[in-house]
């Protein structure tokens, strides 16, 4: 594939790009093969130009947030990362608008500083705002759909449009963006006034729960499986005797069975083999079909 126009856009905007770039350090699982070309747009305009150029030239592309819910192997195409986009946000009364590449936890802290409540349950999720909306991230009884008001996006025709929350099809770990391929540029969240001390206490309490119950000391994609209706994935996995089970460097966490961790040197094949084994055993023993929560990408 010809990436000269992609490189030209990067050069014009002065943003980082590299050919044959290893993606391992760009994911929280610390696993990743190479992509043909990796680019870090440093402005929204640069991001828009890169996505539109890839579309026009028929180049496969993948927009990468903080890589916190992603298992990626080889990607034959261009990976466009949002990590170098401007990290600022704006507030207007009870609403906060943040760029897609901004850390979700950073916005939670900004809301705390403004004494705005509604994001406490999202604090500690290691993802970007755009990624969180893409998958309707959530924890401890709350989700993005509870607070999102609208989002600015690049649609399939290369136009920047604003889509209201009602049109996003937000449901459990799902949004319309996984269907239409639109690129999220910024997200506006509507919160409610609260007491700063109370907000902070809840954030601290939920963060401590994460530290106590989740294997944060190991690389992972977070919860590996979605919650099956009427069940808890971690309980099913543990009841099947799979807690601590490993293939290569990939292991079912001994601390929380809902997490597959990289205990050291795990490969894409290790993780996918372990995931397939877990699904097979749970299906045979419990009659429940587990579905991955993490996004698995492999374009060779």
């Amino acid at each position: 594939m010809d990436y000269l126009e992609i490189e030209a856009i990067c050069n014009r905007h002065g943003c980082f790009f590299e050919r044959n770039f290893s993606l391992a350090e760009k994911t929280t699982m610390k696993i990743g093969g190479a992509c043909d070309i990796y680019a870090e747009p440093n402005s929204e305009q640069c991001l828009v130009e890169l996505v539109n150029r890839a579309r026009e030239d028929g180049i496969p592309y993948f927009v990468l947030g903080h890589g916190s819910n992603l298992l990626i192997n080889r990607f034959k195409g261009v990976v466009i990362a949002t990590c170098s986009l401007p990290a600022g946000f704006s507030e207007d009364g009870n609403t906060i608008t943040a760029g897609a590449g901004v850390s979700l936890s950073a916005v939670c802290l900004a809301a705390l500083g403004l004494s705005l409540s509604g994001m406490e349950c999202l604090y500690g999720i290691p993802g970007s705002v755009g990624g969180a909306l893409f998958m309707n991230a959530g924890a401890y009884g709350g989700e993005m759909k509870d607070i999102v008001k609208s989002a600015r996006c690049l649609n399939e025709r290369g136009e920047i449009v604003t889509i209201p929350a009602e049109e996003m099809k937000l449901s459990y770990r799902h949004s319309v963006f996984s269907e239409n391929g639109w690129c999220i540029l910024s997200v506006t969240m509507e919160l409610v006034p609260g007491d700063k001390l109370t907000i902070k206490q809840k954030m601290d309490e939920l963060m401590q729960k994460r530290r106590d119950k989740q294997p944060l000391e190991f690389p992972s994609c977070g919860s590996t499986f979605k919650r099956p209706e009427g069940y808890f994935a971690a309980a099913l996995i543990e009841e099947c005797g799979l807690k601590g089970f490993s293939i290569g460097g990939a292991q079912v966490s001994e601390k929380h069975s809902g997490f597959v961790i990289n205990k050291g040197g795990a490969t894409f094949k290790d993780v996918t083999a372990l995931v397939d084994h877990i699904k097979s055993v749970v299906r045979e023993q419990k009659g429940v079909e587990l579905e991955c929560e993490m996004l698995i990408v492999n374009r060779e």
Side-chain angles (χ1 to χ4, degrees), residues 96 103-125 139-140 191-192 194-212 216:
I96 293 179
S103 160
L104 186 61
S105 285
V107 181
C108 292
L109 290 171
L112 170 64
L114 295 166
S115 297
L116 293 175
S117 177
M119 299 192 71
E120 294 89 331
C121 62
L122 302 173
Y123 183 55
I125 294 178
Y140 300 113
L191 308 173
V192 295
D195 176 71
K196 185 177 290 188
L197 180 59
T198 302
I199 295 169
K200 186 177 187 307
Q201 287 176 337
K202 186 173 182 181
M203 289 170 65
D204 290 344
E205 174 190 337
L206 295 180
M207 180 57 79
Q208 191 59 51
K209 281 187 178 182
R210 290 181 188 278
R211 295 191 184 102
D212 292 343
L216 302 182

Side-chain angles (χ1 to χ4, degrees), residues 225 270-281 283 292 296:
F225 300 101
D270 290 342
V271 177
T272 52
L274 181 54
V275 165
D276 288 344
H277 179 73
I278 294 167
K279 291 171 72 172
S280 176
V281 172
R283 185 189 309 117
C292 276
I296 301 176

Side-chain angles (χ1 to χ4, degrees), residues 45-281:
Q45 182 59 38
C46 182
L47 170 65
V48 168
E49 289 183 27
L50 286 170
V51 171
N52 282 339
R53 174 51 58 187
R55 289 172 173 174
E56 289 169 14
D57 291 352
I59 297 172
Y61 70 93
F62 181 80
V63 178
L64 174 68
H66 288 190
S68 60
N69 195 49
L70 175 69
L71 179 66
I72 190 166
N73 194 29
R74 177 80 171 93
F75 191 83
K76 189 171 177 59
V78 57
V79 171
I80 303 170
T82 63
C83 58
S84 291
L85 292 174
F89 66 91
S90 61
E91 54 95 9
D92 182 10
N94 296 337
T95 66
I96 293 179
T97 298
V102 176
S103 160
L104 186 61
S105 285
V107 181
C108 292
L109 290 171
L112 170 64
L114 295 166
S115 297
L116 293 175
S117 177
M119 299 192 71
E120 294 89 331
C121 62
L122 302 173
Y123 183 55
I125 294 178
S128 65
V129 170
L133 180 57
F134 181 89
M135 68 167 294
N136 186 28
Y140 300 113
E143 298 175 303
M144 283 294 290
K145 73 178 180 65
D146 300 328
I147 59 170
V148 66
K149 182 179 181 182
S150 63
R152 289 174 60 258
C153 311
L154 184 69
N155 69 15
E156 75 281 3
R157 295 183 297 277
E159 304 164 336
I160 296 178
V161 298
T162 298
I163 177 173
E166 307 85 72
E167 297 178 14
M168 294 181 189
K169 298 184 183 178
L170 295 170
S171 58
Y172 179 63
R173 303 301 176 265
H174 175 80
S175 75
V176 72
F177 305 108
S178 60
E179 302 171 6
N180 62 19
W182 289 15
C183 177
I184 300 167
L185 300 176
S186 65
V187 182
T188 297
M189 294 148 282
E190 188 165 22
L191 308 173
V192 295
D195 176 71
K196 185 177 290 188
L197 180 59
T198 302
I199 295 169
K200 186 177 187 307
Q201 287 176 337
K202 186 173 182 181
M203 289 170 65
D204 290 344
E205 174 190 337
L206 295 180
M207 180 57 79
Q208 191 59 51
K209 281 187 178 182
R210 290 181 188 278
R211 295 191 184 102
D212 292 343
K213 297 183 178 181
Q214 298 178 9
L216 302 182
E217 64 274 25
F218 290 102
S220 80
C221 290
S223 296
T224 304
F225 300 101
K226 295 181 180 179
R227 184 179 64 247
E229 188 172 354
Y231 299 92
F232 290 100
L236 291 171
I237 293 167
E238 189 164 348
E239 288 166 9
C240 289
L242 293 172
K243 192 171 191 177
F245 184 84
S246 63
I247 293 180
Q251 182 188 55
V252 178
S253 169
E254 296 177 327
K255 191 173 186 180
H256 190 309
S257 299
F259 286 66
V260 168
I261 61 171
N262 179 354
K263 199 166 183 184
T267 65
F268 180 86
K269 287 185 178 180
D270 290 342
V271 177
T272 52
L274 181 54
V275 165
D276 288 344
H277 179 73
I278 294 167
K279 291 171 72 172
S280 176
V281 172

